[in-house]
Amino acid sequence: MSDRFLEHRTALVTGSTSGIGLAIACGLAAAGAKIAVNGLGTPEQIDDALRAVREAGAADARHFGADLRDPEQIETMMAQIAEWSAVDILVNNAGIQHAVPLADMPTQKWNDILAINLSAAFHTMRLAMPGMAERGYGRVINIASVHGLVASVNKAPYVASKFGIVGLSKVAGLEYAALGSRESGGITVNCICPGWVETALIEPQIQARRDGGSREDGVRALVSEKQPSGRMSLPEDIAAMATWLCRRESHNITGASFPIDGGWTAQ
Ligand code: NAD
């Protein structure tokens, strides 16, 4: 899909300084959107992300810093973005992970994971969606996980946050379902639920399974546990799905959760 069907649209992608978020920002940029980049990183990492998004074809791109653990910073960021351009596409992608048994989970990790993976999406949605309703077009794409559909051990706050965002997306999808039209594209809210994707987020889990072997041994061990395809997705694979959901003809796809998991949740 190389047409520039998102020219004159603006997208905010949270956590787009690396990984899946950066790939989604580049995918939407290639379709012609203006991109609000958000995420942590050194000034060099942020510059690299902005350069990648511009080279992909963004009509314009800026970084809006906010630590998504803090609702006040989110409000300030959303006001700054609104002054720059109205948000048509909101991708709540930022997320963190910490894998230890429930009884060993530090309380601060629970709070941070719920704040970034779930509450931040509530705040960006409550601030961005009324404007989408006024304009008759809007897309909210929440990057959940297979862990929004099934559980695994040692991931209590992560699984709780991802099940939470699947539920939040259904409610918002229902509340906005009748707004807009087939011609304007409507307002839709969906989740993408990836299995394993090659990014920095899962590196500690790969390393934990090396068992003295190579990184490839670690990848093989990790993927073979649950993902029947035996291969990881690339961030670009997730971006392709997100970009497609922004098309006008996706106007009737809402409140849904799409696994991209090599069969993990089919079992
Ligand atoms: P990543 O670590 O490469 O990227 C995470 C992004 O979130 C970064 O841009 C980071 O700066 C940002 N971020 C983290 N804490 C933040 C904070 N406090 N404030 C603002 N930004 C913050 O990870 P990724 O693998 O690209 O993950 C992206 C999303 O995909 C996450 O929600 C994750 O749960 C989900 N996911 C990933 C996988 C996978 O296998 N990699 C699988 C399923 C779901």
Side-chain angles (χ1 to χ4, degrees), residues 58 104 116 155 165 167 181 209 253 264:
D104 300 334
I116 297 167
K155 297 185 177 178
I165 202 164
S181 66
R209 284 165 181 80
I253 300 171
W264 181 330

Side-chain angles (χ1 to χ4, degrees), residues 15 17-18 20 40 67-68 93 144 158 162 194-195 197 199 201-202:
T17 48
S18 69
I20 296 170
L40 308 178
D67 184 327
L68 298 179
N93 163 81
Y158 189 81
K162 297 299 187 180
V197 186
T199 73
L201 184 97
I202 63 165

Side-chain angles (χ1 to χ4, degrees), residues 152-240:
S152 293
V153 295
N154 298 338
K155 297 185 177 178
Y158 189 81
V159 171
S161 72
K162 297 299 187 180
F163 269 70
I165 202 164
V166 167
L168 170 65
S169 305
K170 287 179 194 282
V171 173
L174 288 173
E175 289 186 6
Y176 284 79
L179 301 174
S181 66
R182 197 160 57 190
E183 289 70 33
S184 68
I187 292 112
T188 70
V189 186
N190 292 292
C191 285
I192 297 177
C193 300
W196 296 121
V197 186
E198 287 257 19
T199 73
L201 184 97
I202 63 165
E203 197 56 35
Q205 296 174 76
I206 293 173
Q207 296 302 330
R209 284 165 181 80
R210 278 177 66 170
D211 198 23
S214 66
R215 183 176 181 278
E216 284 62 42
D217 293 331
V219 170
R220 231 186 328 276
L222 185 67
V223 174
S224 66
E225 275 173 21
K226 295 195 167 170
Q227 192 151 309
S229 66
R231 54 183 188 266
M232 292 204 203
S233 296
L234 293 173
E236 293 72 22
D237 305 336
I238 313 304

Side-chain angles (χ1 to χ4, degrees), residues 26-45:
C26 289
L28 299 177
K34 281 170 79 167
I35 305 292
V37 169
N38 156 265
L40 308 178
T42 63
E44 291 72 30
Q45 285 166 331

